[in-house]
Amino acid sequence: MSHRLRDGAEVYSLGEAVGIERAREIAARMTAEDGVEYAAPDVWVQRQSVSMNDTYFSQQWALSARLLGSQGTAAFSDAWRFAQGSGAVVAVIDTGILQHDDLSTKVINGYDFVSDFSIAGDGNGRDADPSDPGDYCTSRNEDSSWHGLMMSSIAAAVSNNGRGISGALPAGRVLAVRALGRCGGWLSDVADAIAWSAGEAVAGVPGNSTPASVISLSLGSAPGLRCADHGYLQAAVNAAISRGVVVVAAAGNEGVEAVGLPAGCNGVIAVGAHTASGDLAEYSNRSARVTLTAPGGGPCIRQTTSCNTFPIAVLGDAGLRGPTIRRDLDWTGGTSAATPYVAAAAALLKSLNAALTPGEITGLLTGTARTHPADSYCAAMSGRCGAGMVDADAAVNAVISGAPVVTISGPQTAVPGNTDVQLSAEVAFGTAPYTYTWRQVEGPAVTLTGRDARTLSFSTPAAKSQLLFEVNVTDMNLRMTTSQRWLVVSNPPRILGPSELEATKGVALSVQLEAEDPDTGDVISFVRNEGPSGLSVSPSGLLEWSSPRAGEWRIVVEAADESGVTSGPHVITLRVSEGGGGGGAFAYGWLALLGLAVLRARRLQT
């Protein structure tokens, strides 16, 4: 006898391996003996993940089973047992799409939103053909990337067809939308593409007959820009979310403590990138605005000898300028690659329950995210990498189990010290009534009010800090879900001046603005909110006007720290006296105003 079971039955080993039919014969003879209540064969069981026969599936570490794969896997092959994305559509807003035998049957042709003829590369502006003519950039000596094809293949390359790679959504589809041309694109085009992909009407563009469930944006602006300064973008995101569409965007590849746009907009899932080892990728932006990380590959930020730097397998094309020969295997990386993995995980959840809201899906993905490895950058630098590493299998199982889906509402950005804050647990899909248990996990201890209530209240510490709170919610069927929420405390900078300036018409003006911050080590950036056309304020605070015009001008600037906490408006009165100066100011002013309406966006890849 080897051991005894719960009901008292004894487990015996035969000493040799036998087939199931032979085992059943032996069990039947034993059951016929006096004093034996029952006998049954024991059988070998194992984890039921799904594997694909695609040629390069074994090299797709981001999809591999959690127990067999790398630390950084998103465990899609485990999730496929229960959900493969049937009915889900992911809009990939990027450089466009190329026909590829390992993808084309999964692609819905969307629209080309590139409005600027100088970068379009296809001879016209907006049209119904989202094909990628090549996004090469001679000014930066860059060849065409075929970025849209790569990102689309991560999400939905044809699976189990004996060639190429497998997409994260075996049964899902991609809506191909073009918004980037040569060298990049305009954020205003991206905003229209977001709204249209979600099913919103866009002037001059035919309606979208196949709205997306999820929007994937592997693109971004320079880091640190505020979505509040680009209302047209936030409005597009809000329109998508109001239609139940999840918006996912890359945090950026500059390796800094900030994210770009659209990742910095409210309601957007901002995605950082981790490596096959589970450490944050060296290039990945990190900040309190990052929602979670996903497989991006490449070098670890800690550069340890144990770092697995394996990249992400994608479909590609051999063309340096225009498309030539399709590739069944190419390689990429970056927060670009991480983004369609998160979008695919969200699409799996949508395929299981189309009624899930974007907020609920965000809560599911963050609540089930795996913790970064103990020796990783993210484990040591809490609050910079979001909730953890996306785990598609855990998120899918959370939906199937029927456990409560919990999201925590509260401040969307960093808050100053000594601020009264409330966090509320929003619960769906459980069975009321609910019980709540709150605790503080990390950061300087604060006094908590409402530990056993839906809403937790406290005052933030005076000094800059990062606080992590956790709530356990149990429904009447004793099914429990845990959710966490980071809160960054950062005190606002203060602009020291000046409040008045004088200049002479036509004589270049250059003034360095100064600010101070009570939080030691904060990086301060400036932004101009109001002022005459032609006058600029750089992020470092250099106020310049190459050819001032006579008159009295009102300038409004703000300073912001790296957490996005602002000084509030600082008003400068500029008096420009008559003097030398050239003509043409009226025309120049209109050109400058037009330039302020839009912002460059570019693809993100390493």
Side-chain angles (χ1 to χ4, degrees):
M1 185 183 75
S2 61
H3 62 281
R4 192 182 300 273
L5 297 182
R6 173 192 57 81
D7 62 356
E10 297 173 345
V11 178
Y12 292 90
S13 173
L14 295 177
E16 62 177 342
V18 297
I20 186 62
E21 293 302 324
R22 174 62 175 155
R24 286 172 180 157
E25 292 174 2
I26 296 172
R29 289 204 305 268
M30 294 177 66
T31 302
E33 295 181 5
D34 292 339
V36 176
E37 181 179 347
Y38 75 90
D42 204 354
V43 295
W44 182 257
V45 294
Q46 60 188 13
R47 175 186 42 76
Q48 294 294 306
S49 62
V50 176
S51 185
M52 300 295 182
N53 67 6
D54 304 87
T55 308
Y56 304 108
F57 180 74
S58 63
Q59 300 183 51
Q60 294 185 265
W61 59 269
L63 302 179
S64 60
R66 186 167 48 233
L67 296 181
L68 298 179
S70 63
Q71 286 183 287
T73 179
F76 276 94
S77 63
D78 287 327
W80 292 337
R81 294 171 294 165
F82 308 111
Q84 297 196 2
S86 179
V89 175
V90 175
V92 175
I93 300 176
D94 213 288
T95 64
I97 194 67
L98 293 179
Q99 294 295 314
H100 193 296
D101 289 344
D102 200 25
L103 177 65
S104 296
T105 58
K106 304 282 288 297
V107 173
I108 304 165
N109 279 334
Y111 205 79
D112 177 0
F113 280 88
V114 177
S115 60
D116 187 339
F117 280 53
S118 68
I119 66 170
D122 60 357
N124 56 31
R126 294 184 172 181
D127 59 49
D129 183 5
S131 298
D132 186 348
D135 65 335
Y136 63 89
C137 185
T138 54
S139 64
R140 296 200 297 262
N141 194 31
E142 293 177 354
D143 296 326
S144 292
S145 66
W146 316 116
H147 199 252
L149 170 63
M150 290 180 173
M151 300 306 108
S152 297
S153 70
I154 289 174
V158 178
S159 301
N160 219 32
N161 64 340
R163 68 173 292 181
I165 64 170
S166 175
L169 292 171
R173 294 184 294 168
V174 161
L175 176 67
V177 182
R178 185 173 184 240
L180 299 182
R182 290 177 182 168
C183 304
W186 292 105
L187 197 60
S188 55
D189 287 344
V190 173
D192 274 359
I194 291 171
W196 183 86
S197 297
E200 284 282 308
V202 174
V205 178
N208 179 6
S209 60
T210 316
S213 315
V214 182
I215 295 172
S216 181
L217 295 146
S218 295
L219 52 84
S221 71
L225 299 179
R226 298 182 305 171
C227 198
D229 297 328
H230 308 275
Y232 58 92
L233 177 61
Q234 186 65 66
V237 171
N238 291 347
I241 291 173
S242 70
R243 287 176 170 265
V245 179
V246 182
V247 183
V248 185
N253 296 335
E254 292 81 7
V256 298
E257 296 269 347
V259 302
L261 300 177
C265 292
N266 290 339
V268 174
I269 298 176
V271 184
H274 63 251
T275 69
S277 302
D279 198 2
L280 189 71
E282 181 183 44
Y283 53 78
S284 179
N285 289 350
R286 52 267 187 187
S287 79
R289 184 64 191 81
V290 172
T291 309
L292 76 174
T293 68
C300 299
I301 190 172
R302 294 211 157 181
Q303 295 293 321
T304 60
T305 55
S306 61
C307 179
N308 183 335
T309 63
F310 210 72
I312 302 297
V314 292
L315 303 178
D317 187 276
L320 300 182
R321 292 293 187 266
T324 57
I325 301 172
R326 304 295 186 269
R327 289 172 170 164
D328 278 2
L329 178 65
D330 214 329
W331 302 101
T332 192
T335 56
S336 269
T339 299
Y341 282 123
V342 174
L348 290 179
L349 304 185
K350 274 283 193 179
S351 71
L352 287 171
N353 186 344
L356 287 169
T357 68
E360 290 163 349
I361 286 179
T362 301
L364 280 162
L365 294 177
T366 55
T368 58
R370 294 200 320 282
T371 303
H372 292 93
D375 60 348
S376 69
Y377 168 90
C378 293
M381 306 295 286
S382 58
R384 289 171 169 83
C385 306
M389 301 183 292
V390 67
D391 188 326
D393 180 50
V396 163
N397 275 279
V399 174
I400 292 172
S401 71
V405 176
V406 180
T407 56
I408 299 177
S409 63
Q412 295 295 310
T413 58
V415 297
N418 297 316
T419 299
D420 292 334
V421 173
Q422 288 189 334
L423 301 178
S424 293
E426 311 293 340
V427 187
F429 302 108
T431 305
Y434 306 109
T435 59
Y436 306 86
T437 304
W438 290 89
R439 72 184 183 103
Q440 182 179 354
V441 180
E442 291 191 26
V446 298
T447 301
L448 304 180
T449 301
R451 288 177 179 269
D452 57 356
R454 175 174 167 267
T455 300
L456 181 73
S457 303
F458 56 91
S459 293
T460 58
K464 182 177 181 178
S465 52
Q466 294 173 328
L467 313 176
L468 178 61
F469 299 92
E470 179 180 279
V471 63
N472 289 329
V473 178
T474 305
D475 71 2
M476 70 175 297
N477 296 320
L478 302 182
R479 293 174 299 193
M480 186 183 75
T481 298
T482 299
S483 186
Q484 293 185 332
R485 175 71 180 265
W486 283 99
L487 183 71
V488 175
V489 179
S490 187
N491 293 295
R494 182 172 70 92
I495 297 178
L496 300 178
S499 58
E500 294 185 347
L501 289 174
E502 294 186 355
T504 302
K505 178 182 176 182
V507 178
L509 173 68
S510 180
V511 177
Q512 179 63 54
L513 304 179
E514 300 291 341
E516 63 179 7
D517 195 300
D519 299 324
T520 304
D522 266 2
V523 176
I524 301 173
S525 61
F526 292 81
V527 63
R528 191 198 84 153
N529 292 339
E530 184 180 332
S533 59
L535 181 144
S536 64
V537 177
S538 72
S540 63
L542 184 62
L543 183 152
E544 293 181 296
W545 197 359
S546 60
S547 185
R549 300 189 299 279
E552 183 172 296
W553 307 97
R554 184 174 187 265
I555 305 167
V556 180
V557 295
E558 280 188 315
D561 64 16
E562 57 202 31
S563 299
V565 177
T566 66
S567 62
H570 176 78
V571 179
I572 302 172
T573 301
L574 171 61
R575 298 180 181 88
V576 181
S577 61
E578 290 289 346
F586 180 81
Y588 176 79
W590 274 109
L591 288 172
L593 285 172
L594 288 170
L596 288 175
V598 289
L599 178 71
R600 286 285 182 184
R602 65 192 189 287
R603 71 177 188 269
L604 295 173
Q605 66 179 79
T606 54

